PDB file of all heavy atoms in Angstrom:
ATOM      1  N   SER H 236      19.542   3.121 -67.603  1.00  0.00           N
ATOM      2  CA  SER H 236      20.968   3.494 -67.763  1.00  0.00           C
ATOM      3  C   SER H 236      21.245   3.820 -69.204  1.00  0.00           C
ATOM      4  O   SER H 236      20.426   3.369 -70.195  1.00  0.00           O
ATOM      5  CB  SER H 236      21.872   2.303 -67.290  1.00  0.00           C
ATOM      6  OG  SER H 236      21.597   1.118 -68.094  1.00  0.00           O
ATOM      7  N   ILE H 237      22.291   4.521 -69.547  1.00  0.00           N
ATOM      8  CA  ILE H 237      22.683   4.900 -70.850  1.00  0.00           C
ATOM      9  C   ILE H 237      23.013   3.608 -71.703  1.00  0.00           C
ATOM     10  O   ILE H 237      23.603   2.693 -71.198  1.00  0.00           O
ATOM     11  CB  ILE H 237      23.837   5.848 -70.866  1.00  0.00           C
ATOM     12  CG1 ILE H 237      23.488   7.070 -70.088  1.00  0.00           C
ATOM     13  CG2 ILE H 237      24.220   6.233 -72.302  1.00  0.00           C
ATOM     14  CD1 ILE H 237      22.252   7.779 -70.448  1.00  0.00           C
ATOM     15  N   TRP H 238      22.544   3.596 -72.935  1.00  0.00           N
ATOM     16  CA  TRP H 238      22.764   2.488 -73.818  1.00  0.00           C
ATOM     17  C   TRP H 238      23.714   2.662 -74.901  1.00  0.00           C
ATOM     18  O   TRP H 238      23.304   3.132 -76.021  1.00  0.00           O
ATOM     19  CB  TRP H 238      21.362   2.027 -74.375  1.00  0.00           C
ATOM     20  CG  TRP H 238      21.308   0.732 -75.119  1.00  0.00           C
ATOM     21  CD1 TRP H 238      22.292  -0.185 -75.236  1.00  0.00           C
ATOM     22  CD2 TRP H 238      20.252   0.271 -75.834  1.00  0.00           C
ATOM     23  NE1 TRP H 238      21.865  -1.168 -75.967  1.00  0.00           N
ATOM     24  CE2 TRP H 238      20.581  -0.978 -76.383  1.00  0.00           C
ATOM     25  CE3 TRP H 238      18.907   0.768 -76.108  1.00  0.00           C
ATOM     26  CZ2 TRP H 238      19.746  -1.708 -77.171  1.00  0.00           C
ATOM     27  CZ3 TRP H 238      18.116   0.004 -76.918  1.00  0.00           C
ATOM     28  CH2 TRP H 238      18.507  -1.263 -77.330  1.00  0.00           C
ATOM     29  N   PRO H 239      25.034   2.539 -74.733  1.00  0.00           N
ATOM     30  CA  PRO H 239      25.918   2.751 -75.831  1.00  0.00           C
ATOM     31  C   PRO H 239      25.853   1.781 -76.824  1.00  0.00           C
ATOM     32  O   PRO H 239      25.546   0.548 -76.498  1.00  0.00           O
ATOM     33  CB  PRO H 239      27.338   2.706 -75.101  1.00  0.00           C
ATOM     34  CG  PRO H 239      27.101   1.967 -73.834  1.00  0.00           C
ATOM     35  CD  PRO H 239      25.652   2.150 -73.486  1.00  0.00           C
ATOM     36  N   MET H 240      26.067   2.066 -78.092  1.00  0.00           N
ATOM     37  CA  MET H 240      25.929   1.115 -79.246  1.00  0.00           C
ATOM     38  C   MET H 240      26.975   1.367 -80.265  1.00  0.00           C
ATOM     39  O   MET H 240      27.560   2.420 -80.330  1.00  0.00           O
ATOM     40  CB  MET H 240      24.575   1.447 -79.930  1.00  0.00           C
ATOM     41  CG  MET H 240      23.353   1.214 -79.086  1.00  0.00           C
ATOM     42  SD  MET H 240      21.863   1.730 -79.930  1.00  0.00           S
ATOM     43  CE  MET H 240      20.845   2.263 -78.619  1.00  0.00           C
ATOM     44  N   VAL H 241      27.246   0.310 -81.029  1.00  0.00           N
ATOM     45  CA  VAL H 241      28.099   0.420 -82.178  1.00  0.00           C
ATOM     46  C   VAL H 241      27.382   1.238 -83.206  1.00  0.00           C
ATOM     47  O   VAL H 241      26.095   1.325 -83.140  1.00  0.00           O
ATOM     48  CB  VAL H 241      28.518  -0.922 -82.752  1.00  0.00           C
ATOM     49  CG1 VAL H 241      29.401  -1.652 -81.768  1.00  0.00           C
ATOM     50  CG2 VAL H 241      27.417  -1.658 -83.227  1.00  0.00           C
ATOM     51  N   HIS H 242      27.996   1.726 -84.295  1.00  0.00           N
ATOM     52  CA  HIS H 242      27.362   2.501 -85.227  1.00  0.00           C
ATOM     53  C   HIS H 242      26.255   1.792 -85.933  1.00  0.00           C
ATOM     54  O   HIS H 242      25.152   2.333 -86.166  1.00  0.00           O
ATOM     55  CB  HIS H 242      28.398   3.077 -86.242  1.00  0.00           C
ATOM     56  CG  HIS H 242      27.870   4.141 -87.230  1.00  0.00           C
ATOM     57  ND1 HIS H 242      27.499   3.830 -88.504  1.00  0.00           N
ATOM     58  CD2 HIS H 242      27.670   5.400 -87.059  1.00  0.00           C
ATOM     59  CE1 HIS H 242      27.023   4.875 -89.066  1.00  0.00           C
ATOM     60  NE2 HIS H 242      27.153   5.905 -88.222  1.00  0.00           N
ATOM     61  N   SER H 243      26.502   0.508 -86.383  1.00  0.00           N
ATOM     62  CA  SER H 243      25.511  -0.200 -87.123  1.00  0.00           C
ATOM     63  C   SER H 243      25.670  -1.705 -87.003  1.00  0.00           C
ATOM     64  O   SER H 243      26.815  -2.188 -87.159  1.00  0.00           O
ATOM     65  CB  SER H 243      25.641   0.135 -88.701  1.00  0.00           C
ATOM     66  OG  SER H 243      24.983  -0.737 -89.403  1.00  0.00           O
ATOM     67  N   SER H 244      24.562  -2.330 -86.707  1.00  0.00           N
ATOM     68  CA  SER H 244      24.657  -3.878 -86.615  1.00  0.00           C
ATOM     69  C   SER H 244      24.893  -4.482 -87.968  1.00  0.00           C
ATOM     70  O   SER H 244      25.660  -5.423 -88.084  1.00  0.00           O
ATOM     71  CB  SER H 244      23.388  -4.438 -85.927  1.00  0.00           C
ATOM     72  OG  SER H 244      22.314  -3.990 -86.553  1.00  0.00           O
ATOM     73  N   GLU H 245      24.451  -3.808 -89.068  1.00  0.00           N
ATOM     74  CA  GLU H 245      24.720  -4.257 -90.384  1.00  0.00           C
ATOM     75  C   GLU H 245      26.256  -4.153 -90.674  1.00  0.00           C
ATOM     76  O   GLU H 245      26.835  -5.145 -91.340  1.00  0.00           O
ATOM     77  CB  GLU H 245      23.944  -3.547 -91.438  1.00  0.00           C
ATOM     78  CG  GLU H 245      22.543  -4.000 -91.639  1.00  0.00           C
ATOM     79  CD  GLU H 245      22.456  -5.371 -91.990  1.00  0.00           C
ATOM     80  OE1 GLU H 245      23.151  -5.871 -92.933  1.00  0.00           O
ATOM     81  OE2 GLU H 245      21.616  -6.124 -91.275  1.00  0.00           O
ATOM     82  N   TYR H 246      26.914  -3.113 -90.279  1.00  0.00           N
ATOM     83  CA  TYR H 246      28.273  -2.954 -90.467  1.00  0.00           C
ATOM     84  C   TYR H 246      29.048  -4.058 -89.754  1.00  0.00           C
ATOM     85  O   TYR H 246      30.006  -4.657 -90.262  1.00  0.00           O
ATOM     86  CB  TYR H 246      28.709  -1.623 -89.957  1.00  0.00           C
ATOM     87  CG  TYR H 246      30.192  -1.391 -89.989  1.00  0.00           C
ATOM     88  CD1 TYR H 246      30.885  -1.190 -91.266  1.00  0.00           C
ATOM     89  CD2 TYR H 246      30.985  -1.363 -88.878  1.00  0.00           C
ATOM     90  CE1 TYR H 246      32.252  -1.014 -91.274  1.00  0.00           C
ATOM     91  CE2 TYR H 246      32.272  -1.218 -88.871  1.00  0.00           C
ATOM     92  CZ  TYR H 246      32.982  -1.038 -90.025  1.00  0.00           C
ATOM     93  OH  TYR H 246      34.377  -0.842 -90.089  1.00  0.00           O
ATOM     94  N   MET H 247      28.608  -4.291 -88.493  1.00  0.00           N
ATOM     95  CA  MET H 247      29.283  -5.475 -87.739  1.00  0.00           C
ATOM     96  C   MET H 247      29.143  -6.824 -88.491  1.00  0.00           C
ATOM     97  O   MET H 247      30.126  -7.510 -88.444  1.00  0.00           O
ATOM     98  CB  MET H 247      28.716  -5.436 -86.346  1.00  0.00           C
ATOM     99  CG  MET H 247      29.024  -4.205 -85.487  1.00  0.00           C
ATOM    100  SD  MET H 247      30.738  -3.822 -85.331  1.00  0.00           S
ATOM    101  CE  MET H 247      31.258  -5.018 -84.138  1.00  0.00           C
ATOM    102  N   LYS H 248      28.045  -7.055 -89.037  1.00  0.00           N
ATOM    103  CA  LYS H 248      27.870  -8.300 -89.826  1.00  0.00           C
ATOM    104  C   LYS H 248      28.806  -8.286 -91.007  1.00  0.00           C
ATOM    105  O   LYS H 248      29.416  -9.372 -91.269  1.00  0.00           O
ATOM    106  CB  LYS H 248      26.418  -8.434 -90.316  1.00  0.00           C
ATOM    107  CG  LYS H 248      25.381  -8.876 -89.329  1.00  0.00           C
ATOM    108  CD  LYS H 248      24.072  -9.074 -90.097  1.00  0.00           C
ATOM    109  CE  LYS H 248      22.908  -9.085 -89.102  1.00  0.00           C
ATOM    110  NZ  LYS H 248      21.614  -9.004 -89.774  1.00  0.00           N
ATOM    111  N   GLN H 249      28.950  -7.200 -91.708  1.00  0.00           N
ATOM    112  CA  GLN H 249      29.868  -7.139 -92.811  1.00  0.00           C
ATOM    113  C   GLN H 249      31.261  -7.457 -92.461  1.00  0.00           C
ATOM    114  O   GLN H 249      32.105  -7.907 -93.183  1.00  0.00           O
ATOM    115  CB  GLN H 249      29.768  -5.750 -93.552  1.00  0.00           C
ATOM    116  CG  GLN H 249      28.516  -5.514 -94.203  1.00  0.00           C
ATOM    117  CD  GLN H 249      28.420  -3.990 -94.652  1.00  0.00           C
ATOM    118  OE1 GLN H 249      29.251  -3.265 -94.629  1.00  0.00           O
ATOM    119  NE2 GLN H 249      27.203  -3.719 -95.142  1.00  0.00           N
ATOM    120  N   LEU H 250      31.659  -7.025 -91.172  1.00  0.00           N
ATOM    121  CA  LEU H 250      32.957  -7.299 -90.654  1.00  0.00           C
ATOM    122  C   LEU H 250      33.249  -8.732 -90.269  1.00  0.00           C
ATOM    123  O   LEU H 250      34.293  -9.142 -89.901  1.00  0.00           O
ATOM    124  CB  LEU H 250      33.266  -6.392 -89.449  1.00  0.00           C
ATOM    125  CG  LEU H 250      33.508  -4.932 -89.629  1.00  0.00           C
ATOM    126  CD1 LEU H 250      33.788  -4.233 -88.332  1.00  0.00           C
ATOM    127  CD2 LEU H 250      34.717  -4.720 -90.614  1.00  0.00           C
ATOM    128  N   GLY H 251      32.046  -9.459 -90.220  1.00  0.00           N
ATOM    129  CA  GLY H 251      32.080 -10.906 -89.730  1.00  0.00           C
ATOM    130  C   GLY H 251      32.158 -10.937 -88.213  1.00  0.00           C
ATOM    131  O   GLY H 251      32.518 -11.962 -87.577  1.00  0.00           O
ATOM    132  N   ARG H 252      31.636  -9.848 -87.552  1.00  0.00           N
ATOM    133  CA  ARG H 252      31.533  -9.732 -86.075  1.00  0.00           C
ATOM    134  C   ARG H 252      30.062  -9.412 -85.711  1.00  0.00           C
ATOM    135  O   ARG H 252      29.861  -8.350 -85.121  1.00  0.00           O
ATOM    136  CB  ARG H 252      32.449  -8.704 -85.527  1.00  0.00           C
ATOM    137  CG  ARG H 252      33.902  -9.102 -85.818  1.00  0.00           C
ATOM    138  CD  ARG H 252      34.882  -8.037 -85.422  1.00  0.00           C
ATOM    139  NE  ARG H 252      34.788  -7.701 -84.030  1.00  0.00           N
ATOM    140  CZ  ARG H 252      35.551  -6.808 -83.468  1.00  0.00           C
ATOM    141  NH1 ARG H 252      36.328  -5.984 -84.089  1.00  0.00           N
ATOM    142  NH2 ARG H 252      35.419  -6.590 -82.118  1.00  0.00           N
ATOM    143  N   PRO H 253      29.106 -10.202 -86.076  1.00  0.00           N
ATOM    144  CA  PRO H 253      27.706  -9.830 -85.763  1.00  0.00           C
ATOM    145  C   PRO H 253      27.449  -9.618 -84.317  1.00  0.00           C
ATOM    146  O   PRO H 253      28.112 -10.238 -83.356  1.00  0.00           O
ATOM    147  CB  PRO H 253      26.877 -11.003 -86.403  1.00  0.00           C
ATOM    148  CG  PRO H 253      27.834 -12.168 -86.404  1.00  0.00           C
ATOM    149  CD  PRO H 253      29.221 -11.546 -86.639  1.00  0.00           C
ATOM    150  N   LEU H 254      26.535  -8.765 -84.010  1.00  0.00           N
ATOM    151  CA  LEU H 254      26.150  -8.475 -82.624  1.00  0.00           C
ATOM    152  C   LEU H 254      25.321  -9.689 -82.065  1.00  0.00           C
ATOM    153  O   LEU H 254      24.704 -10.386 -82.869  1.00  0.00           O
ATOM    154  CB  LEU H 254      25.334  -7.220 -82.550  1.00  0.00           C
ATOM    155  CG  LEU H 254      26.036  -5.923 -82.951  1.00  0.00           C
ATOM    156  CD1 LEU H 254      25.109  -4.721 -82.932  1.00  0.00           C
ATOM    157  CD2 LEU H 254      27.279  -5.675 -82.064  1.00  0.00           C
ATOM    158  N   PRO H 255      25.303  -9.777 -80.767  1.00  0.00           N
ATOM    159  CA  PRO H 255      24.437 -10.916 -80.250  1.00  0.00           C
ATOM    160  C   PRO H 255      22.993 -10.708 -80.679  1.00  0.00           C
ATOM    161  O   PRO H 255      22.501  -9.593 -80.928  1.00  0.00           O
ATOM    162  CB  PRO H 255      24.551 -10.689 -78.698  1.00  0.00           C
ATOM    163  CG  PRO H 255      25.831  -9.924 -78.555  1.00  0.00           C
ATOM    164  CD  PRO H 255      25.924  -9.131 -79.811  1.00  0.00           C
ATOM    165  N   GLU H 256      22.234 -11.824 -80.755  1.00  0.00           N
ATOM    166  CA  GLU H 256      20.835 -11.834 -81.152  1.00  0.00           C
ATOM    167  C   GLU H 256      20.021 -10.795 -80.396  1.00  0.00           C
ATOM    168  O   GLU H 256      20.163 -10.686 -79.128  1.00  0.00           O
ATOM    169  CB  GLU H 256      20.271 -13.239 -80.871  1.00  0.00           C
ATOM    170  CG  GLU H 256      18.846 -13.369 -81.336  1.00  0.00           C
ATOM    171  CD  GLU H 256      18.658 -13.493 -82.740  1.00  0.00           C
ATOM    172  OE1 GLU H 256      19.534 -13.920 -83.494  1.00  0.00           O
ATOM    173  OE2 GLU H 256      17.594 -13.010 -83.252  1.00  0.00           O
ATOM    174  N   GLY H 257      19.247  -9.962 -81.094  1.00  0.00           N
ATOM    175  CA  GLY H 257      18.506  -8.943 -80.388  1.00  0.00           C
ATOM    176  C   GLY H 257      19.166  -7.626 -80.100  1.00  0.00           C
ATOM    177  O   GLY H 257      18.567  -6.627 -79.792  1.00  0.00           O
ATOM    178  N   GLN H 258      20.507  -7.521 -80.246  1.00  0.00           N
ATOM    179  CA  GLN H 258      21.197  -6.266 -80.056  1.00  0.00           C
ATOM    180  C   GLN H 258      21.219  -5.433 -81.251  1.00  0.00           C
ATOM    181  O   GLN H 258      21.558  -6.005 -82.370  1.00  0.00           O
ATOM    182  CB  GLN H 258      22.627  -6.589 -79.505  1.00  0.00           C
ATOM    183  CG  GLN H 258      23.336  -5.370 -79.037  1.00  0.00           C
ATOM    184  CD  GLN H 258      24.693  -5.685 -78.403  1.00  0.00           C
ATOM    185  OE1 GLN H 258      24.972  -6.844 -78.104  1.00  0.00           O
ATOM    186  NE2 GLN H 258      25.481  -4.660 -78.188  1.00  0.00           N
ATOM    187  N   LEU H 259      21.044  -4.194 -81.214  1.00  0.00           N
ATOM    188  CA  LEU H 259      20.987  -3.316 -82.385  1.00  0.00           C
ATOM    189  C   LEU H 259      22.233  -2.345 -82.363  1.00  0.00           C
ATOM    190  O   LEU H 259      22.661  -1.965 -81.282  1.00  0.00           O
ATOM    191  CB  LEU H 259      19.733  -2.540 -82.324  1.00  0.00           C
ATOM    192  CG  LEU H 259      18.365  -3.293 -82.509  1.00  0.00           C
ATOM    193  CD1 LEU H 259      17.209  -2.290 -82.450  1.00  0.00           C
ATOM    194  CD2 LEU H 259      18.285  -4.063 -83.849  1.00  0.00           C
ATOM    195  N   GLY H 260      22.624  -1.926 -83.540  1.00  0.00           N
ATOM    196  CA  GLY H 260      23.471  -0.779 -83.652  1.00  0.00           C
ATOM    197  C   GLY H 260      22.721   0.538 -83.615  1.00  0.00           C
ATOM    198  O   GLY H 260      21.429   0.504 -83.657  1.00  0.00           O
ATOM    199  N   ALA H 261      23.372   1.635 -83.522  1.00  0.00           N
ATOM    200  CA  ALA H 261      22.727   2.931 -83.363  1.00  0.00           C
ATOM    201  C   ALA H 261      21.805   3.187 -84.588  1.00  0.00           C
ATOM    202  O   ALA H 261      20.628   3.622 -84.382  1.00  0.00           O
ATOM    203  CB  ALA H 261      23.713   4.051 -83.208  1.00  0.00           C
ATOM    204  N   LYS H 262      22.226   2.986 -85.779  1.00  0.00           N
ATOM    205  CA  LYS H 262      21.446   3.217 -87.038  1.00  0.00           C
ATOM    206  C   LYS H 262      20.219   2.445 -86.923  1.00  0.00           C
ATOM    207  O   LYS H 262      19.032   2.943 -87.182  1.00  0.00           O
ATOM    208  CB  LYS H 262      22.235   2.862 -88.207  1.00  0.00           C
ATOM    209  CG  LYS H 262      21.523   3.119 -89.494  1.00  0.00           C
ATOM    210  CD  LYS H 262      22.461   2.806 -90.678  1.00  0.00           C
ATOM    211  CE  LYS H 262      21.898   3.056 -92.066  1.00  0.00           C
ATOM    212  NZ  LYS H 262      20.845   2.085 -92.372  1.00  0.00           N
ATOM    213  N   GLU H 263      20.222   1.079 -86.646  1.00  0.00           N
ATOM    214  CA  GLU H 263      19.088   0.248 -86.533  1.00  0.00           C
ATOM    215  C   GLU H 263      18.124   0.582 -85.383  1.00  0.00           C
ATOM    216  O   GLU H 263      16.889   0.461 -85.596  1.00  0.00           O
ATOM    217  CB  GLU H 263      19.452  -1.196 -86.558  1.00  0.00           C
ATOM    218  CG  GLU H 263      20.211  -1.654 -87.970  1.00  0.00           C
ATOM    219  CD  GLU H 263      21.651  -1.245 -87.980  1.00  0.00           C
ATOM    220  OE1 GLU H 263      22.265  -0.900 -86.922  1.00  0.00           O
ATOM    221  OE2 GLU H 263      22.192  -1.289 -89.002  1.00  0.00           O
ATOM    222  N   TYR H 264      18.777   0.982 -84.357  1.00  0.00           N
ATOM    223  CA  TYR H 264      17.936   1.377 -83.218  1.00  0.00           C
ATOM    224  C   TYR H 264      16.979   2.563 -83.528  1.00  0.00           C
ATOM    225  O   TYR H 264      15.879   2.495 -83.296  1.00  0.00           O
ATOM    226  CB  TYR H 264      18.860   1.724 -81.935  1.00  0.00           C
ATOM    227  CG  TYR H 264      18.008   2.432 -80.875  1.00  0.00           C
ATOM    228  CD1 TYR H 264      17.205   1.664 -80.124  1.00  0.00           C
ATOM    229  CD2 TYR H 264      18.252   3.728 -80.656  1.00  0.00           C
ATOM    230  CE1 TYR H 264      16.476   2.367 -79.073  1.00  0.00           C
ATOM    231  CE2 TYR H 264      17.494   4.449 -79.620  1.00  0.00           C
ATOM    232  CZ  TYR H 264      16.633   3.713 -78.874  1.00  0.00           C
ATOM    233  OH  TYR H 264      15.884   4.290 -77.853  1.00  0.00           O
ATOM    234  N   CYS H 265      17.670   3.563 -84.098  1.00  0.00           N
ATOM    235  CA  CYS H 265      16.885   4.768 -84.543  1.00  0.00           C
ATOM    236  C   CYS H 265      15.759   4.413 -85.477  1.00  0.00           C
ATOM    237  O   CYS H 265      14.612   4.768 -85.272  1.00  0.00           O
ATOM    238  CB  CYS H 265      17.786   5.856 -85.030  1.00  0.00           C
ATOM    239  SG  CYS H 265      18.800   6.665 -83.736  1.00  0.00           S
ATOM    240  N   GLU H 266      16.099   3.575 -86.399  1.00  0.00           N
ATOM    241  CA  GLU H 266      15.049   3.137 -87.427  1.00  0.00           C
ATOM    242  C   GLU H 266      13.976   2.333 -86.796  1.00  0.00           C
ATOM    243  O   GLU H 266      12.743   2.453 -87.167  1.00  0.00           O
ATOM    244  CB  GLU H 266      15.727   2.303 -88.498  1.00  0.00           C
ATOM    245  CG  GLU H 266      16.676   3.105 -89.384  1.00  0.00           C
ATOM    246  CD  GLU H 266      17.499   2.289 -90.363  1.00  0.00           C
ATOM    247  OE1 GLU H 266      17.514   1.028 -90.266  1.00  0.00           O
ATOM    248  OE2 GLU H 266      18.256   2.853 -91.160  1.00  0.00           O
ATOM    249  N   SER H 267      14.305   1.608 -85.751  1.00  0.00           N
ATOM    250  CA  SER H 267      13.254   0.784 -85.091  1.00  0.00           C
ATOM    251  C   SER H 267      12.318   1.585 -84.351  1.00  0.00           C
ATOM    252  O   SER H 267      11.182   1.067 -84.026  1.00  0.00           O
ATOM    253  CB  SER H 267      13.994  -0.271 -84.103  1.00  0.00           C
ATOM    254  OG  SER H 267      14.344   0.362 -82.879  1.00  0.00           O
ATOM    255  N   ILE H 268      12.583   2.756 -83.925  1.00  0.00           N
ATOM    256  CA  ILE H 268      11.608   3.645 -83.208  1.00  0.00           C
ATOM    257  C   ILE H 268      11.133   4.790 -84.236  1.00  0.00           C
ATOM    258  O   ILE H 268      10.569   5.769 -83.750  1.00  0.00           O
ATOM    259  CB  ILE H 268      12.222   4.314 -81.973  1.00  0.00           C
ATOM    260  CG1 ILE H 268      13.412   5.209 -82.317  1.00  0.00           C
ATOM    261  CG2 ILE H 268      12.553   3.201 -80.989  1.00  0.00           C
ATOM    262  CD1 ILE H 268      13.894   6.059 -81.128  1.00  0.00           C
ATOM    263  N   GLY H 269      11.239   4.681 -85.603  1.00  0.00           N
ATOM    264  CA  GLY H 269      10.703   5.520 -86.441  1.00  0.00           C
ATOM    265  C   GLY H 269      11.476   6.831 -86.599  1.00  0.00           C
ATOM    266  O   GLY H 269      10.926   7.893 -86.929  1.00  0.00           O
ATOM    267  N   ALA H 270      12.800   6.759 -86.381  1.00  0.00           N
ATOM    268  CA  ALA H 270      13.618   7.941 -86.383  1.00  0.00           C
ATOM    269  C   ALA H 270      14.889   7.584 -87.173  1.00  0.00           C
ATOM    270  O   ALA H 270      14.982   6.553 -87.898  1.00  0.00           O
ATOM    271  CB  ALA H 270      14.029   8.402 -84.980  1.00  0.00           C
ATOM    272  N   ARG H 271      15.928   8.453 -87.086  1.00  0.00           N
ATOM    273  CA  ARG H 271      17.154   8.214 -87.816  1.00  0.00           C
ATOM    274  C   ARG H 271      18.309   8.866 -86.872  1.00  0.00           C
ATOM    275  O   ARG H 271      18.070   9.719 -86.027  1.00  0.00           O
ATOM    276  CB  ARG H 271      17.084   8.764 -89.150  1.00  0.00           C
ATOM    277  CG  ARG H 271      16.920  10.292 -89.207  1.00  0.00           C
ATOM    278  CD  ARG H 271      17.047  10.850 -90.616  1.00  0.00           C
ATOM    279  NE  ARG H 271      16.685  12.263 -90.600  1.00  0.00           N
ATOM    280  CZ  ARG H 271      17.430  13.332 -90.256  1.00  0.00           C
ATOM    281  NH1 ARG H 271      18.703  12.968 -89.864  1.00  0.00           N
ATOM    282  NH2 ARG H 271      17.027  14.547 -90.331  1.00  0.00           N
ATOM    283  N   LEU H 272      19.569   8.473 -87.253  1.00  0.00           N
ATOM    284  CA  LEU H 272      20.661   9.168 -86.655  1.00  0.00           C
ATOM    285  C   LEU H 272      20.843  10.588 -87.213  1.00  0.00           C
ATOM    286  O   LEU H 272      20.601  10.783 -88.406  1.00  0.00           O
ATOM    287  CB  LEU H 272      21.964   8.380 -86.955  1.00  0.00           C
ATOM    288  CG  LEU H 272      22.245   7.136 -86.121  1.00  0.00           C
ATOM    289  CD1 LEU H 272      23.534   6.520 -86.606  1.00  0.00           C
ATOM    290  CD2 LEU H 272      22.385   7.497 -84.656  1.00  0.00           C
ATOM    291  N   PRO H 273      21.096  11.582 -86.439  1.00  0.00           N
ATOM    292  CA  PRO H 273      21.394  12.964 -86.954  1.00  0.00           C
ATOM    293  C   PRO H 273      22.705  12.979 -87.873  1.00  0.00           C
ATOM    294  O   PRO H 273      23.629  12.232 -87.573  1.00  0.00           O
ATOM    295  CB  PRO H 273      21.511  13.782 -85.822  1.00  0.00           C
ATOM    296  CG  PRO H 273      21.779  12.945 -84.648  1.00  0.00           C
ATOM    297  CD  PRO H 273      21.332  11.464 -84.973  1.00  0.00           C
ATOM    298  N   SER H 274      22.729  13.768 -88.888  1.00  0.00           N
ATOM    299  CA  SER H 274      23.895  13.983 -89.680  1.00  0.00           C
ATOM    300  C   SER H 274      24.860  14.875 -88.931  1.00  0.00           C
ATOM    301  O   SER H 274      24.534  15.516 -87.980  1.00  0.00           O
ATOM    302  CB  SER H 274      23.511  14.643 -90.998  1.00  0.00           C
ATOM    303  OG  SER H 274      23.140  15.997 -90.763  1.00  0.00           O
TER     304      SER H 274
END
């Protein structure tokens, strides 16, 4: 199934709303697979 994500888990931490343990934001997800978000 499609996996929608927030823009960045780091951003969510900065807001004081961290994602659940193990959940990634889009930016971190792409980085975790050796890629990046497109500009």
Side-chain angles (χ1 to χ4, degrees):
S236 63
I237 302 307
W238 189 7
M240 299 174 209
V241 296
H242 189 261
S243 166
S244 51
E245 279 301 311
Y246 174 73
M247 296 301 286
K248 278 186 203 170
Q249 291 171 8
L250 287 180
R252 296 174 63 184
L254 297 177
E256 184 71 30
Q258 189 175 350
L259 297 173
K262 181 178 181 287
E263 294 80 15
Y264 167 73
C265 288
E266 291 169 357
S267 78
I268 62 169
R271 62 178 174 77
L272 284 174
S274 69

